[in-house]
Amino acid sequence: MGYQHFLFGQAGTLKIRVSVQTNNKTITQVLAEISKNYRVKFYNQDTQQLNRVCLPWTFTNELVADVLSKLLKESGLSFLEYEPYLYIISGTDKLNTELFSEYFKKKSAIETNMDDIPIVVGSLATIQRSGVAHITGRVTDGVTDTSIRGVVIKISGVDTIVYSDQGGVFEIHVPIGIHTLMVESDLYQNVQLPIKVYSDGIVDIKLFENSLSLPELVVGGSAQRRLAQAQAGVAELSIKEIKRLPSLMGETDVLKALLTLPGVSNTGEVGSGYNVRGGNIDQNLILQEGAFHLNPSHVLGLFSAFNPDAIKSVTLYKGYIPAQYGGRTSSVLDIKLKDPNFEQWSVFGGVGPISSKIFIEGPLKKNRTSLFVGSRFTYSDWVLKLVRDPNLKSSRAGFYDFNFKIAHRFNSKSSIQFSSYASKDDFNYAKEFGYGWQTQSHVLSYTNQLKPNLLLTANVLYSDSRNDFEDQTAIVRNVLENGLVYYKTKWNLSWQASEKQTVNIGLDGIRYLPEPQNFRATFEQNITEEKIEQSRGDEAAIYINDEFSIGKKFNLAIGFRFNMYRNIGAEQVNQYLPGMARTKENLIQTVTYAKGETIKSYQGAEPRLSVAYVLTSNKSIKLAYNRLTQFIHLVSNTAAATPVDLWQLSNTHVQPQLADNLSLGYFNNLNNNEWETSLEVYFKQLDRLLEYKDFAKLLRNPSIETELFPVKGKSYGAEFSIKRSKNNPTGYISYTWSRSLRKSPGLFPDEIINNGNWYASNFDKPHNLNVVFDVQIRKTMFLSANFVYASGRPQTAPIADFYLGDGGVFLNYSQRNSLRIPDYHRLDVSFTVTRGAIRTSKNKGSLTLAVYNLYARKNAFSVFYRRTPNHPLVGYKLAVLGAALPSLTYNFQFSRK
């Protein structure tokens, strides 16, 4: 039954008198005439009886009640005079029941209870006859005006508990009357406020932080929500936690913060990207405002490409991946930029030893149009001048990134925003070689609340990534360039079917346009150029994701995604002898395809399921399964990615990757959600992973398929985490035991690795331990520490050398990845003092002293071998950051209405 509405006039004792004639008129027509002439409102439930024709009466200056009595006589209807200007008409039997009694009592209670200044929803003029109102609300940060996800909303006397979504929005049905609104969050101050509910309406809730440090945004939500939510394997960190972690040279890093979570690791300190549950770095979908990033790092992995001051939320999906996401087989990192402030102008930023940042945000038109713009830039060359290594003294490194966002609200239901991101890196080593890489992306997003429970979101975007490598040692100057351009659109319809069910339906499409490999050799005035075209492709998908509850014990997430992909021309495709190895000797012909012509197509279904069973109020178990497909592959035979590595699209010779991911977890919150503990185990089965032949030539190879072949993979492990997010001190411990293995059941000798047995992947690190500690010393001071331990990653190395007469020295290598570099461990600490940290202060500041690698551990990034005449092979450890690195950083914020 839908909600019914009727209007109230002003209360009083005045009796309304009317004059009207009823000749040849129905009761409905007579009531309409009275309503028009005397502003009397009639509410009725039975229009059929009111269509009866009246007797020919003439009423002159008579009371409305007397007129109604005559009109309704013998109709089976009666009326109730509630206010002088309002009459309720219904069946006599209904009016004789208690249909309205509770309603009248509730209305009276609302008007007489005025102990505190309450939040008022609706008005006396629109009071809800059904006795139940539908409230829509939004929770935002009281300082930054950004949305807060995962906040718990309770209403006294209402059993239902709801949570704010990614936009900070929540919906709840509440009986009309006086209630207490309770809002709870881990890192914000809890709120209890009286609320007077008359009818449907909107509530805006602003929260402020518990601590008195610089205001930041909570990403994630309450411990209770995380315990019960259907999605398994969702890892979340608040931006506040990220900023409190000790940093390298004062540069706060989102990706390094993710490395403290269970199941997440990387290859080393100079390693771009990260690995999740035994997956390769290219198997992570890294999104910022919907645009995916191929290289998420600055300076070859030392710093993240994402600026924490520009970020609203960070969510890592590593267990159940909702059907809204696709295209990768390991994880999804979803980064949302903060919303511009619609009410006041702010300037904030920071100054550190290697970089500085500045941001401006505020309303162009208050509560209608606002913008956010900011940038980071580095001046790190002076640090390299201080080291003893003469090669590093003459090296150069630098980067900048830029964020821009403008948002416009058409009304309370629809808005549009445009965001841009740009970054550029340069690295030159001792005038021997240099890297350069740059990225830009532009996103246009439109949101429309079609109905109170129906939200449409549409995105279109463009992204361009370009890389180059320069060899500066040879007489001939060599430069190699490549890149990837893509266009993407996504349409999503979110339907809040009920308080316990949310459905997302949508489609997305991507066109990949890789830049050719451009090689240029320059000698004096002579220039030699070579261009190698790359495969192009289109990827499209339709999906549905349904999250719902069954009773109070079961929460489920069920998703289905159907992918379609085609490799398109223009392209020349090599064909080889059937059943034979792909070698140049077996090449039989090259087929040319026209621009836009379909060369090869793939499609596949991706079912997904996650079930949470709530054992008790503080315990649950979760089971998740994903089938995932990936059409784009990173081609790199190094342990850590470099800017010139290739992104290879699926084509005739390179099939899509496939993964089946299964996980099971036990979750237990202790001491009223003060402690969160979890134990998760997982297993992945992978197929069609790319592997490389020994001594493969991957760059400038027009027949790169001759160096590639598919292998199988599997990874498994256990993750343990314990977190204290309330009281003082706070922190967490995460430990992961895992294995990541590969197997090559090749048909040809050069495609068989380690005799066809399972071998460790390049990023197989069985043990990973992280301990994060954060203590508030005073209201304006806190101390943080972070300890990291990890197993050394695998490597292939020479184990012997021998002579063959005058043929020279030959090396005998180990089986692939059968050896390991030394284990890794490091301790970082930081101490922060804040000024003007009370929430009402407009001007704020903080000073942070941090020491990265406190005990100066010389961790090995790699091990290499040298041999001198008449001496055996000797191994040497390469440590990139082998010293304690202190930094002093100042952050500031100025606000003005």
Side-chain angles (χ1 to χ4, degrees):
M1 176 178 177
Y3 296 129
Q4 311 276 353
H5 300 267
F6 64 97
L7 301 177
F8 284 83
Q10 297 295 324
T13 59
L14 177 65
K15 298 297 183 180
I16 307 301
R17 294 180 177 272
V18 300
S19 297
V20 66
Q21 290 186 346
T22 64
N23 294 340
N24 299 320
K25 298 177 183 176
T26 65
I27 299 176
T28 300
Q29 292 171 330
V30 173
L31 295 179
E33 186 175 334
I34 295 173
S35 179
K36 178 180 178 181
N37 295 332
Y38 299 94
R39 296 185 179 180
V40 177
K41 300 296 181 182
F42 300 98
Y43 172 78
N44 63 81
Q45 288 184 316
D46 194 336
T47 57
Q48 183 176 359
Q49 290 294 328
L50 296 179
N51 287 330
R52 297 175 56 181
V53 178
C54 303
L55 296 175
W57 291 315
T58 299
F59 299 102
T60 304
N61 198 30
E62 295 192 32
L63 294 173
V64 175
D66 293 339
V67 175
L68 283 176
S69 296
K70 287 188 178 181
L71 292 176
L72 301 178
K73 189 178 181 179
E74 298 180 357
S75 67
L77 299 177
S78 186
F79 68 92
L80 182 75
E81 181 180 3
Y82 181 58
E83 295 283 354
Y85 290 92
L86 174 62
Y87 294 81
I88 301 168
I89 300 172
S90 186
T92 303
D93 57 336
K94 293 181 180 180
L95 287 177
N96 289 337
T97 67
E98 296 181 352
L99 178 65
F100 300 104
S101 61
E102 289 299 320
Y103 164 68
F104 295 145
K105 292 177 183 177
K106 191 77 69 175
K107 189 258 182 185
S108 177
I110 293 175
E111 290 305 295
T112 57
N113 191 331
M114 297 294 291
D115 294 338
D116 298 308
I117 300 176
I119 298 174
V120 178
V121 183
S123 68
L124 177 63
T126 59
I127 192 167
Q128 209 83 19
R129 175 190 174 278
S130 65
V132 180
H134 177 256
I135 297 177
T136 301
R138 183 169 180 258
V139 186
T140 57
D141 187 294
V143 176
T144 65
D145 196 39
T146 51
S147 304
I148 307 175
R149 174 189 176 192
V151 173
V152 180
I153 294 95
K154 303 177 183 177
I155 302 288
S156 60
V158 179
D159 294 334
T160 304
I161 298 175
V162 297
Y163 304 91
S164 58
D165 63 16
Q166 289 187 349
V169 177
F170 67 89
E171 296 184 62
I172 189 169
H173 290 96
V174 180
I176 62 173
I178 291 284
H179 305 281
T180 299
L181 170 68
M182 293 164 283
V183 184
E184 299 177 1
S185 172
D186 286 346
L187 298 178
Y188 282 81
Q189 295 179 9
N190 293 336
V191 171
Q192 287 194 11
L193 293 172
I195 182 171
K196 293 168 59 173
V197 182
Y198 289 105
S199 56
D200 296 353
I202 299 175
V203 175
D204 287 324
I205 301 171
K206 293 186 180 296
L207 299 183
F208 297 90
E209 289 191 357
N210 280 318
S211 69
L212 297 179
S213 59
L214 288 176
E216 305 298 342
L217 172 73
V218 169
V219 181
S222 73
Q224 192 65 37
R225 180 188 65 85
R226 289 190 289 269
L227 179 83
Q229 69 180 1
Q231 296 177 1
V234 179
E236 299 169 328
L237 276 176
S238 73
I239 299 299
K240 181 174 182 177
E241 289 173 317
I242 293 173
K243 288 191 173 184
R244 283 196 171 189
L245 284 173
S247 57
L248 171 60
M249 302 302 288
E251 190 60 44
T252 304
D253 196 313
V254 172
L255 296 188
K256 282 185 171 56
L258 287 176
L259 293 174
T260 66
L261 298 174
V264 186
S265 62
N266 70 349
T267 56
E269 278 168 326
V270 186
S272 180
Y274 56 92
N275 309 99
V276 177
R277 290 186 170 179
N280 199 358
I281 60 174
D282 69 329
Q283 295 173 344
N284 303 310
L285 180 62
I286 304 172
L287 299 171
Q288 181 173 271
E289 290 292 278
F292 62 80
H293 283 247
L294 302 177
N295 188 346
S297 302
H298 286 308
V299 194
L300 296 174
L302 285 179
F303 306 106
S304 164
F306 309 110
N307 192 334
D309 287 293
I311 291 174
K312 176 174 70 173
S313 65
V314 179
T315 306
L316 177 69
Y317 300 93
K318 56 177 180 161
Y320 176 80
I321 298 178
Q324 298 94 297
Y325 304 101
R328 301 295 189 274
T329 55
S330 189
S331 74
V332 175
L333 178 65
D334 192 6
I335 299 174
K336 296 283 195 303
L337 295 182
K338 64 183 297 184
D339 299 317
N341 195 315
F342 283 85
E343 296 183 357
Q344 68 179 17
W345 283 95
S346 296
V347 178
F348 55 96
V351 179
I354 65 167
S355 68
S356 292
K357 53 194 174 184
I358 184 71
F359 297 88
I360 302 173
E361 67 170 338
L364 298 176
K365 185 175 182 181
K366 195 169 184 179
N367 295 320
R368 181 67 69 175
T369 306
S370 64
L371 65 79
F372 169 89
V373 59
S375 179
R376 288 187 303 174
F377 47 90
T378 187
Y379 34 82
S380 57
D381 290 352
W382 70 271
V383 179
L384 299 177
K385 306 295 183 185
L386 300 179
V387 300
R388 295 181 179 180
D389 190 322
N391 290 323
L392 287 177
K393 281 181 177 290
S394 59
S395 298
R396 180 166 51 88
F399 72 87
Y400 77 81
D401 54 41
F402 171 84
N403 289 99
F404 172 82
K405 189 173 186 179
I406 185 169
H408 176 74
R409 297 171 176 170
F410 295 108
N411 49 50
S412 61
K413 295 183 178 180
S414 64
S415 63
I416 191 169
Q417 62 183 31
F418 175 78
S419 62
S420 287
Y421 171 84
S423 70
K424 183 176 175 60
D425 282 71
D426 286 298
F427 177 78
N428 281 273
Y429 180 77
K431 299 181 181 180
E432 293 183 7
F433 63 87
Y435 289 111
W437 58 103
Q438 55 189 336
T439 298
Q440 61 171 307
S441 60
H442 311 286
V443 183
L444 183 65
S445 179
Y446 173 73
T447 302
N448 193 336
Q449 190 88 35
L450 303 175
K451 292 182 178 181
N453 62 344
L454 199 61
L455 179 67
L456 172 67
T457 304
N459 295 325
V460 292
L461 63 89
Y462 163 84
S463 181
D464 186 350
S465 299
R466 297 176 187 270
N467 315 304
D468 63 76
F469 171 77
E470 181 179 356
D471 183 357
Q472 303 167 346
T473 60
I475 298 176
V476 178
R477 182 172 177 266
N478 298 323
V479 177
L480 179 63
E481 301 173 332
N482 62 45
L484 175 66
V485 174
Y486 72 86
Y487 298 86
K488 178 183 176 182
T489 183
K490 182 172 183 176
W491 298 72
N492 185 85
L493 195 62
S494 181
W495 174 39
Q496 190 76 35
S498 68
E499 293 179 357
K500 296 184 177 181
Q501 184 178 20
T502 303
V503 181
N504 281 277
I505 304 173
L507 55 90
D508 55 31
I510 306 173
R511 166 152 288 191
Y512 298 99
L513 301 172
E515 293 293 320
Q517 291 185 65
N518 289 314
F519 175 74
R520 184 172 61 257
T522 304
F523 177 68
E524 295 181 350
Q525 302 299 320
N526 298 318
I527 299 178
T528 302
E529 294 185 325
E530 180 183 16
K531 179 183 292 187
I532 300 174
E533 297 290 343
Q534 305 296 305
S535 294
R536 300 184 174 195
D538 291 334
E539 181 181 345
I542 56 174
Y543 62 82
I544 180 170
N545 195 81
D546 190 358
E547 297 181 29
F548 58 96
S549 300
I550 301 177
K552 296 184 179 180
K553 291 292 187 179
F554 284 97
N555 295 313
L556 291 87
I558 299 176
F560 181 82
R561 185 181 182 93
F562 187 78
N563 293 306
M564 296 155 283
Y565 172 84
R566 65 182 189 126
N567 170 215
I568 60 174
E571 186 176 350
Q572 292 184 330
V573 179
N574 294 329
Q575 294 186 349
Y576 300 87
L577 288 172
M580 302 294 290
R582 289 197 300 263
T583 64
K584 293 181 180 180
E585 293 74 20
N586 293 329
L587 177 65
I588 55 176
Q589 65 175 340
T590 299
V591 179
T592 300
Y593 290 86
K595 182 178 181 180
E597 185 177 359
T598 299
I599 303 172
K600 182 70 175 179
S601 62
Y602 299 95
Q603 55 273 326
E606 296 183 354
R608 310 176 186 195
L609 172 67
S610 185
V611 181
Y613 178 67
V614 180
L615 299 169
T616 65
S617 61
N618 64 332
K619 297 178 184 179
S620 68
I621 57 175
K622 299 181 183 182
L623 176 69
Y625 167 77
N626 296 285
R627 172 77 165 184
L628 303 168
T629 310
Q630 181 169 328
F631 301 101
I632 185 170
H633 322 264
L634 179 64
V635 177
S636 171
N637 58 2
T638 60
T642 64
V644 292
D645 291 334
L646 298 176
W647 287 89
Q648 174 68 53
L649 292 170
S650 294
N651 55 28
T652 303
H653 304 297
V654 178
Q655 294 180 295
Q657 297 180 33
L658 299 176
D660 292 284
N661 302 337
L662 184 67
S663 64
L664 176 66
Y666 172 75
F667 303 83
N668 188 4
N669 292 356
L670 306 173
N671 196 22
N672 195 27
N673 294 323
E674 178 181 354
W675 297 88
E676 297 178 64
T677 66
S678 65
L679 175 63
E680 294 184 81
V681 294
Y682 67 88
F683 177 80
K684 287 185 181 182
Q685 182 170 294
L686 304 108
D687 198 9
R688 303 175 182 172
L689 302 176
L690 286 186
E691 192 55 274
Y692 320 107
K693 298 178 181 179
D694 292 332
F695 310 107
K697 180 186 177 184
L698 301 179
L699 300 179
R700 298 174 53 202
N701 186 349
S703 304
I704 192 172
E705 68 273 4
T706 61
E707 306 289 356
L708 308 175
F709 60 94
V711 300
K712 296 183 178 297
K714 66 178 180 181
S715 61
Y716 50 87
E719 302 168 356
F720 171 76
S721 174
I722 179 169
K723 179 179 181 180
R724 190 189 195 204
S725 55
K726 293 182 178 181
N727 301 323
N728 189 32
T730 59
Y732 53 93
I733 299 173
S734 66
Y735 169 74
T736 304
W737 175 83
S738 63
R739 296 304 310 272
S740 176
L741 307 176
R742 301 290 183 263
K743 185 178 183 180
S744 61
L747 299 177
F748 311 104
D750 59 351
E751 297 181 2
I752 297 177
I753 300 174
N754 292 5
N755 301 317
N757 299 316
W758 289 101
Y759 62 94
S761 69
N762 289 339
F763 37 87
D764 175 65
K765 300 166 70 174
H767 301 284
N768 282 272
L769 172 69
N770 286 273
V771 181
V772 176
F773 176 79
D774 188 356
V775 58
Q776 192 93 28
I777 300 173
R778 297 176 60 184
K779 289 183 178 180
T780 58
M781 299 180 185
F782 62 85
L783 176 70
S784 297
N786 175 36
F787 175 75
V788 181
Y789 170 83
S791 301
R793 61 174 174 78
Q795 75 163 12
T796 305
I799 55 178
D801 58 351
F802 54 91
Y803 292 90
L804 287 179
D806 295 331
V809 179
F810 291 84
L811 300 178
N812 181 25
Y813 281 85
S814 67
Q815 290 192 322
R816 187 171 297 191
N817 290 346
S818 61
L819 304 177
R820 291 186 181 274
I821 66 174
D823 291 351
Y824 181 101
H825 52 87
R826 189 190 78 241
L827 174 65
D828 312 323
V829 296
S830 69
F831 178 73
T832 299
V833 179
T834 63
R835 178 185 64 82
I838 299 177
R839 72 187 190 202
T840 56
S841 175
K842 293 183 179 180
N843 302 329
K844 302 173 175 62
S846 68
L847 191 66
T848 300
L849 172 65
V851 182
Y852 186 88
N853 194 16
L854 181 65
Y855 53 82
R857 162 78 172 176
K858 290 181 170 57
N859 286 298
F861 175 73
S862 66
V863 174
F864 62 95
Y865 296 83
R866 288 178 178 171
R867 181 187 181 280
T868 57
N870 302 319
H871 289 85
L873 284 169
V874 178
Y876 295 87
K877 180 174 67 175
L878 173 63
V880 179
L881 301 176
L885 299 174
S887 63
L888 187 65
T889 304
Y890 176 68
N891 293 294
F892 58 86
Q893 177 178 332
F894 306 105
S895 301
R896 182 178 180 182
K897 290 273 188 178

